[in-house]
Amino acid sequence: MKEKDIVELDFLTRINKAMEEKGMTATALARKANVSHSGVFRVLSGTVGLSFERACQLADALDLEFYPMLRPRSGVGKKEAANG
């Protein structure tokens, strides 16, 4: 499994947990996030990938803070930093 897939799966797990805690259906989430309900269902089922914009919309609709982590991949950037 690729790192991107793991991050997306973790995000979707957190979205589902927040929906459950708030008693919110996928349809209600779609309405609050101002996105199509079919789009939310496809994202939650893993049928389509999750775009950055959609991730922000869903997190915002659930009152979740969204901090994407950007970090160098292992070994990338270390050589440049040492030479800089």
Side-chain angles (χ1 to χ4, degrees):
M1 185 177 280
K2 295 179 183 179
E3 187 174 355
K4 175 191 170 292
D5 296 331
I6 293 168
V7 170
E8 188 170 319
L9 181 61
D10 183 53
F11 180 82
L12 292 176
T13 300
R14 291 171 191 256
I15 290 292
N16 279 306
K17 182 177 179 185
M19 287 172 59
E20 184 179 317
E21 289 172 355
K22 294 175 182 290
M24 185 179 284
T25 64
T27 301
L29 175 60
R31 191 175 302 117
K32 189 168 181 186
N34 198 30
V35 298
S36 73
H37 70 277
S38 62
V40 170
F41 283 111
R42 288 193 311 258
V43 165
L44 293 176
S45 69
T47 305
V48 297
L50 184 63
S51 70
F52 178 78
E53 180 180 2
R54 181 66 41 90
C56 290
Q57 288 172 304
L58 297 178
D60 193 44
L62 289 164
D63 298 320
L64 299 173
E65 293 185 43
F66 182 60
Y67 292 104
M69 293 188 84
L70 300 176
R71 59 182 170 83
R73 292 186 180 140
S74 123
V76 175
K78 291 179 182 177
K79 188 175 184 179
E80 292 85 3
N83 291 332

